[in-house]
Amino acid sequence: MDLTKKQILILGGGFAGVRAALDLERKNLTNTKITLVSRDHFHEYHPDLYEVASAFLPETGSKSQRKLRYQHLRGTVTVPLNTIFQNKNIEIIQDSVKEINLQEKFVFLEERQKLDYDFLVIALGSTTNFFGNKKLEDNSLPMKTVTDALNIRDNIDELFLEKKRDEEISIVVGGGGFSGCELAGEMSRYVKDLALLHNHPKEKVKITIVESCPNLINGAQKWVQGKALERLQKLGVEVALASKIVDIEKNKLVLENGNKLQYDILVWTAGVKANPVVETINGVKLEKNVCLAIDKYSRVIGNDHVFAIGDNAYCYDYLHSCVVPPTAQLAIAQGQAVANNLARIVKGEGLVEFQPEMP
């Protein structure tokens, strides 16, 4: 380690971490060293996971041709980090974070080494939140990674093979946020293609969004919520609002109002929580028990040299007095803002408050 340079350590290769690293490198701060740690060797483009989960692939061709199409599908949402950071003065370490010690300013990795830092950016993203409901976790399919998306796609494809022609097919999307709405909308086209392929009556196939809030995309502007509902209904997607899932029986969802909803496949998009590593950090405040509390500069509360951005941070819009939904756009904006503030700190300048743009 070059002790003459300020060590800036960025944890996470998602939108927030990648944007922060790229923007910081462009500042040409000669007295700093930038290191990015990522569990995977690639960056996943999460906004398009719903397209992977509902991609119709031709069944024609040889086994090797079908395999190539499948690999290409995976590649549509993954970009190698080496490609992103080609010719950039950034060190990339592929490893998982095991421990973050804010008091002594170091990070332990699973396989490789201990990394000391002067400034830390925590952008470890999120995992699916089942809210402690073991039945929900065991009986649903998450959609957080490209592997999850491919698993959803394959399960739906296999469902059409298993069902008889006169049998109902019911696919439920748990959660009416951005991810759930995008998935259900795109899936409406996918199931029509599968119905045609397998000679299954389209009217026997049903897609339903189940949302506990009274509106879709909770936290978005009213016109966005209205347009989403209108579009989904036009595509034939049924929407059950103010319908909280309280229990799961065999292939049935039990709703708070007492109604039961039959399903063959349940995709869960209704909750995320920060990477579990976040919960093990001493000396931090967690909002909702899952996300790092940050100030107006995206600094972790009580730690002036530590920033948190992306899904593992609880972003509050002080101007509009509301929580900002975790989106790729927010993560990118946070990454840009933190890179700018880190450069200002190194130059001895004052910080600039981060003001998110509401969707």
Side-chain angles (χ1 to χ4, degrees):
M1 177 184 293
D2 186 349
L3 297 178
T4 64
K5 292 187 174 185
K6 294 291 184 182
Q7 305 295 320
I8 299 178
L9 180 58
I10 300 172
L11 306 179
F15 284 104
V18 167
R19 188 72 267 163
L22 287 172
D23 279 27
L24 195 56
E25 197 268 348
R26 292 195 183 108
K27 304 292 184 182
N28 294 317
L29 303 172
T30 57
N31 58 337
T32 63
K33 182 179 185 300
I34 305 169
T35 302
L36 182 139
V37 178
S38 173
R39 177 194 61 192
D40 301 310
H41 71 277
F42 53 83
H43 165 73
E44 286 186 339
Y45 191 75
H46 290 115
D48 279 356
L49 287 182
Y50 71 94
E51 293 189 355
V52 173
S54 55
F56 181 77
L57 296 180
E59 301 288 340
T60 57
S62 64
K63 184 177 180 180
S64 60
Q65 288 173 326
R66 294 196 300 271
K67 183 178 179 180
L68 281 174
R69 285 197 289 263
Y70 200 79
Q71 291 173 341
H72 173 74
L73 178 60
R74 174 183 285 271
T76 60
V77 292
T78 57
V79 184
L81 291 176
N82 286 336
T83 300
I84 296 174
F85 294 110
Q86 188 174 14
N87 300 321
K88 303 295 183 183
N89 190 24
I90 299 171
E91 180 184 9
I92 303 172
I93 298 176
Q94 185 187 345
D95 207 340
S96 296
V97 175
K98 182 178 181 180
E99 178 187 350
I100 299 174
N101 190 313
L102 302 186
Q103 289 70 41
E104 299 183 37
K105 291 188 175 183
F106 69 79
V107 172
F108 266 132
L109 304 183
E110 288 282 357
E111 299 180 5
R112 294 189 55 180
Q113 63 200 86
K114 169 188 173 185
L115 298 176
D116 296 306
Y117 66 84
D118 293 295
F119 300 100
L120 178 66
V121 179
I122 305 175
L124 290 170
S126 59
T127 59
T128 302
N129 191 355
F130 297 101
F131 304 101
N133 189 325
K134 184 63 176 173
K135 285 186 180 179
L136 181 60
E137 185 174 356
D138 291 342
N139 291 279
S140 65
L141 302 175
M143 194 181 72
K144 279 297 296 175
T145 68
V146 63
T147 300
D148 290 339
L150 290 169
N151 191 35
I152 292 168
R153 179 207 168 275
D154 294 347
N155 272 268
I156 295 174
D157 192 10
E158 290 171 7
L159 180 61
F160 274 84
L161 288 171
E162 295 168 359
K163 288 284 188 175
K164 295 178 181 178
R165 189 177 184 277
D166 60 341
E167 286 186 299
E168 299 277 352
I169 291 178
S170 177
I171 301 168
V172 174
V173 177
F178 284 107
S179 296
C181 290
E182 289 170 337
L183 176 62
E186 195 70 15
M187 198 182 291
S188 66
R189 176 196 53 79
Y190 180 44
V191 297
K192 288 175 184 176
D193 289 339
L194 288 175
L196 182 62
L197 176 66
H198 296 285
N199 195 27
H200 201 101
K202 290 187 293 184
E203 60 273 14
K204 294 280 188 179
V205 184
K206 182 172 71 172
I207 299 173
T208 306
I209 289 180
V210 175
E211 169 57 49
S212 62
C213 294
N215 298 294
L216 293 174
I217 318 177
N218 188 41
Q221 296 180 44
K222 292 294 183 182
W223 71 268
V224 175
Q225 297 174 340
K227 284 291 185 182
L229 179 59
E230 180 184 342
R231 176 61 176 164
L232 286 168
Q233 291 176 333
K234 187 175 181 180
L235 290 172
V237 176
E238 297 187 14
V239 180
L241 298 173
S243 301
K244 183 179 180 181
I245 299 171
V246 294
D247 197 9
I248 297 182
E249 299 175 355
K250 184 175 177 60
N251 291 111
K252 285 184 181 179
L253 299 179
V254 181
L255 305 181
E256 194 172 43
N257 59 13
N259 292 338
K260 294 185 179 182
L261 181 62
Q262 187 81 24
Y263 74 91
D264 295 297
I265 289 177
L266 170 61
V267 182
W268 186 248
T269 69
V272 296
K273 61 179 181 178
N275 187 301
V277 173
V278 165
E279 299 178 36
T280 68
I281 305 174
N282 290 325
V284 298
K285 177 184 177 183
L286 295 179
E287 294 285 358
K288 305 293 185 181
N289 295 320
V290 293
C291 291
L292 289 164
I294 56 176
D295 63 15
K296 296 180 181 181
Y297 308 103
S298 298
R299 296 178 302 188
V300 173
I301 300 295
N303 296 270
D304 290 347
H305 291 74
V306 182
F307 295 81
I309 53 180
D311 285 3
N312 62 196
Y314 187 83
C315 184
Y316 190 81
D317 185 343
Y318 291 91
L319 181 63
H320 299 97
S321 300
C322 62
V323 180
V324 186
T327 63
Q329 291 85 351
L330 173 63
I332 291 170
Q334 287 179 312
Q336 293 170 331
V338 164
N340 182 55
N341 273 333
L342 280 169
R344 295 179 71 87
I345 291 174
V346 172
K347 296 175 182 178
E349 301 173 355
L351 300 183
V352 177
E353 293 184 6
F354 173 66
Q355 176 54 48
E357 293 185 8
M358 290 297 291

